[in-house]
Each structure stands twice: as structure tokens, then as C-alpha cells.
Amino acid sequence: QVQLVESGGGSVQSGGSLRLSCTASDFIYDTSVYCMGWFRQAPGKEREGVAAIDPDGSTAYADSVKGRFTISQDNAKNMLFLAMNSLSPEDTAMYYCAADVCLTGDAVQALGVITSFGSRGQGTQVTVSS
């Protein structure tokens, strides 16, 4: 399993921005075989896939965050990012980084199953106030 550690969460006002980071364990961070991404869970709600990136670098986003969130990775530093803009109270949740083996060109499929990925971090809290 990939070991993942998230950071960058916090409290912001509506309309603000945050950038989440996820550091993956070095010895098994292999972007040629792994899909990575983010999912979130708000209190009393089901987990929701937010964004995914596949070995080709293709990305996929939930409709609720398209145009506001951007997923990216820095392979040299074994890091994954989620830039979040125009945040609203509906984005308040615990955000988790996740990874699993997948195929290239698989970002859309990965997004659909990301909450079941084999590796996930402990989460970082994002709170957006109105």
C-alpha cells in the first residue's frame, strides 16, 4: 500500500481558496501504474469523489467542483495537489488523498471508485464559512 499524508486544510470564508497537498511514500510512488485523487466526506453525508488523475496525467472531476478545483502532481517530489477556488460552505468536509493501481486513460473510471481505493490518508479538514 501507498502511505499518504495530507496537509493544507483549514478554515476560509466563502469565495476563498485553499491548496491541499498529499505526500506519497517514496519507494512505491510510481505514477506509471497508479491513479491518485481526492475524495471528501461531510458530516452525515456519503463519501464523494472529487478529482482523479491517471498515469497519463488525464484528470476527471466531480460536477460539483468542475471549473473550481484543479488536481495536479509533482512526480519528482512524490506529491499530489488539489487547488480549490471559489469555495462555498457546501465544500466543507474532510478531504482524503487516495491511490490505487490503475490503467492509463482511466481517470473517469478512477473517479467513480476512488472512495474504495486501497490506499488513503488520514484526511485534512476544510471548513468554509458563509
Side-chain angles (χ1 to χ4, degrees), residues 12-36:
V12 296
Q13 291 190 331
S14 184
S17 299
L18 284 173
R19 188 189 191 212
L20 306 184
S21 299
C22 172
T23 301
S25 52
D26 180 76
F27 73 104
I28 45 177
Y29 184 82
D30 185 347
T31 57
S32 69
V33 298
Y34 275 94
C35 280
M36 297 189 72

